[in-house]
Amino acid sequence: MVCSSCPTDAPSRPDPRWRRVLWIALGINLAMFAGEIFAGIASGSRSLQADALDFLGDAANYAISLGVAGLALRWRSRAALLKGGTILAFGLYVLVTTVIAAFGTRVPQGETMGVVGILALAANGVVALMLFRYRTGDANMRSVWICSRNDAIGNLAVVAAAAGVLGTGTQWPDLAVAAIMAALGVSGGLQILLQANEELRSEREKCDLGATSTLPNIVTE
């Protein structure tokens, strides 16, 4: 059975530096979402719109992480399950919308893609550097690092797509980047889900073992 509490699952004191980094990351992601979604719609860039939704999803993930910081590991792992599912859903959404956009003919504005992509790369680069030291933590911490890492990689791809759009005069570089971002989302989401499930399974086993060890010995005659 799963016990309601056990010594091995006692909450740890939240690292104030970790919380401070999350608050900064939350503000950066909300600001970038607002600017990038506007630029993506105005320029007709599917990859910019996908990246904007990614900023919004990350802002929500950072907010969840702030809410569970300092709670018992099982609650942090459950939050990681939610975040992993969100990232996975985002990846699948981008994949579907990219396929739909492939049947259209609109060519996005490469100049706008390049400028916004560079700004987004700078923003995510700052966040990724701040979170680098927490990349080997529990599933909750690792999920935040994976989000930031994937974002920085995605921004590099958006800048490359902008150059491709300008060079070819077609939408295909933009759609290719959107597909890459979808693959990153699916892969990152699955990684987080697997680790969170493993942590929850390990905690259940520890709790069950603790509950068994505290049972009174029954002497049979």
Side-chain angles (χ1 to χ4, degrees), residues 102-221:
F103 293 96
T105 58
R106 182 181 180 182
V107 179
Q109 299 172 11
E111 297 87 351
T112 302
M113 289 175 59
V115 172
V116 177
I118 291 173
L119 291 175
L121 176 60
N124 277 318
V126 170
V127 173
L129 285 175
M130 291 190 300
L131 292 170
F132 183 76
R133 66 184 300 172
Y134 302 105
R135 69 191 183 284
T136 57
D138 58 40
N140 182 53
M141 285 186 173
R142 190 178 179 216
S143 68
V144 174
W145 157 248
I146 288 176
C147 285
S148 299
R149 180 204 64 186
N150 287 357
D151 290 346
I153 295 173
N155 296 145
L156 283 172
V158 169
V159 174
V165 168
L166 289 172
T168 65
T170 68
Q171 66 172 340
W172 294 110
D174 184 53
L175 297 182
V177 166
I180 292 173
M181 294 173 70
L184 286 171
V186 171
S187 174
L190 289 175
Q191 289 180 53
I192 295 168
L193 289 173
L194 288 173
Q195 182 175 345
N197 273 316
E198 178 61 25
E199 289 179 357
L200 287 172
R201 184 190 64 79
S202 177
E203 284 302 305
R204 284 195 295 268
E205 291 178 353
K206 290 179 182 178
C207 286
D208 289 345
L209 181 61
T212 302
S213 64
T214 58
L215 290 176
N217 294 324
I218 300 176
V219 180
T220 57
E221 299 179 351

